[in-house]
Amino acid sequence: MAITTFEDLKKRFDTLKALNERKVVAGWLDSNGTARMAKQNLDYRKKTGKRTAALREPPSNALIARTLNYGRKAGTTLEGVHYSAIPARPFLRFAMERYRALMPKIEQKYIPLVIAGKFDVDALCLELGVRLKDCITLAMRDSARYEALHEATLIARRREKNDSPTPLIDTHQLIDSVT
């Protein structure tokens, strides 16, 4: 679509503005707020050195993903419950590396179409979200990049009739819930 009028130019600028104002997110919803509460507790412990109470809620997928991505130091709650360390397996960093590598091809294909009015901004955002979700799941499956599971984890998995040594994928519940 050639720019022949001021109105055509304004439409293109409006389209670019709309695209610039959008955010594309992928990941997990913090359905019960446990990821937010755990982060607040962590910040409090770092600031004061004091222990915090256990959350007493089942962890949301967002909290599980955050813990697996960033890892966790061993510690003890106020109630005296000990929890073990979990090594960081930074799948989100690897997902973003993969996503950034895709972006030039996506931009080259879709941005001219969006500017010309042949492809909707919302449709582009949906496409980007799907690509980001795929990058996250691929990064989680790339087990060669992560520290191997500890023997205690493997034993626990075998007790649950799961003998997979693959980090980040146990029941498939977390990887299947990326949105």
Side-chain angles (χ1 to χ4, degrees):
M1 175 172 126
I3 299 174
T4 57
T5 66
F6 179 74
E7 190 60 34
D8 291 341
L9 182 62
K10 184 179 179 317
K11 283 181 185 176
R12 286 195 181 187
F13 279 120
D14 289 346
T15 299
L16 289 174
K17 183 179 177 196
L19 187 57
N20 189 51
E21 291 172 349
R22 297 288 174 32
K23 289 184 180 180
V24 174
V25 294
W28 299 266
L29 294 175
D30 189 19
S31 55
N32 62 0
T34 54
R36 179 186 45 78
M37 291 185 288
K39 177 70 165 99
Q40 289 172 344
N41 285 351
L42 176 64
D43 292 344
Y44 178 81
R45 287 191 304 273
K46 284 181 177 178
K47 184 176 180 180
T48 66
K50 296 179 181 178
R51 293 182 295 174
T52 55
L55 294 178
R56 290 186 177 50
E57 292 283 332
S60 67
N61 285 335
L63 176 55
I64 294 167
R66 182 181 287 175
T67 303
L68 292 173
N69 186 70
Y70 296 108
R72 175 182 75 188
K73 292 182 180 178
T76 306
T77 67
L78 271 175
E79 301 85 0
V81 176
H82 178 73
Y83 51 90
S84 59
I86 296 175
R89 293 183 172 96
F91 59 89
L92 290 174
R93 184 182 70 203
F94 298 138
M96 287 309 297
E97 288 171 4
R98 187 183 299 261
Y99 188 70
R100 284 188 192 104
L102 285 175
M103 283 308 293
K105 292 177 185 173
I106 294 170
E107 289 171 354
Q108 186 177 10
K109 179 178 179 180
Y110 290 106
I111 298 298
L113 296 173
V114 170
I115 291 172
K118 296 178 181 175
F119 200 78
D120 185 62
V121 171
D122 290 333
L124 175 58
C125 290
L126 182 60
E127 175 71 20
L128 293 172
V130 168
R131 298 287 183 104
L132 182 53
K133 174 189 179 288
D134 292 345
C135 288
I136 293 170
T137 58
L138 287 170
M140 290 178 78
R141 292 180 189 283
D142 193 0
S143 62
R145 298 185 110 170
Y146 309 115
E147 180 179 323
L149 295 175
H150 292 144
E151 187 58 33
T153 303
L154 293 171
I155 290 169
R157 282 189 177 186
R158 283 187 215 111
R159 257 194 320 268
E160 299 295 321
K161 307 291 188 245
N162 175 1
D163 54 358
S164 170
T166 306
L168 301 176
I169 302 172
D170 184 1
T171 64
H172 283 265
Q173 188 275 333
L174 187 65
I175 198 167
D176 291 346
S177 65
V178 182
T179 59

